[in-house]
Structure formats: structure tokens, C-alpha cells
Amino acid sequence: MTSAKVHRENVPVTEEEQSILALLLKDSVERRVLTDLVGDFGTSRAAAAHAVLSVGIDVVRAGVQEALYVEFAESYPDHEAERREVARTRRERDADRWSGE
């Protein structure tokens, strides 16, 4: 864990999630995939759950970053017009070049 101060949470899990946590404690495809994502995460159920939570948090952060990018891009609609103009100019330049061949 990266933080010096650890706060423990009680997290409800479904039977399916319990089954997956059990698989993460064995030499399984699930464990190998999670290890590839987060590195070695130990052998306890708590460590496996923490690793899964870490991956989930990374996915949420990536989604937030994407949403902020979209929000930023939408706040500057002139950039879209500029991109379209650049694309149109390139197409025209390429068409002129190809017509000369």
C-alpha cells in the first residue's frame, strides 16, 4: 500500500465476487491478469481485494480524465472548425498533387 495511513472499509461482495477473490488467491488466469496490471499483490483476500480496487480506481481516473478532455474540447468549438479547415486544406493539397501525377 502506498499510503502510510491505512483506513479499512467493510465492502459488501456478491457470491460471484467472492468466487473471483478465491481465484485470485490461486495460480489462475485471473491472478496472472491482475498481477500483470498491478504487480505482485500478496496472498491474502484483503490484498487481492485491494489490488482489484486499485485497478477500478485507475479506470475511474482514466474516465474522469477523458470526460475532462471532452469537456475542455467542447468548450472550444473553434478548434473543431480549425481542425476541419486543416483537413480540408490537406485534402485539396493532396488532390492537386495527385491530379498532377
Side-chain angles (χ1 to χ4, degrees), residues 18-91:
Q18 287 178 353
S19 297
I20 292 170
L21 284 173
L23 289 170
L24 293 172
L25 301 178
K26 301 176 183 178
D27 182 21
S28 63
V29 174
E30 290 81 0
R31 183 176 181 90
R32 288 189 296 272
V33 169
L34 188 57
T35 300
D36 288 345
L37 292 169
V38 299
D40 187 31
F41 54 87
T43 58
S44 71
R45 289 175 69 87
H50 181 262
V52 171
L53 181 62
S54 296
V55 171
I57 288 171
D58 288 346
V59 169
V60 170
R61 285 183 179 144
V64 168
Q65 188 174 29
E66 182 179 341
L68 290 174
Y69 174 77
V70 168
E71 183 179 311
F72 175 77
E74 288 174 349
S75 70
Y76 290 97
D78 293 338
H79 286 130
E80 182 60 31
E82 290 174 23
R83 284 192 291 270
R84 280 183 275 161
E85 180 63 22
V86 167
R88 185 188 61 75
T89 302
R90 285 182 183 158
R91 280 193 306 271

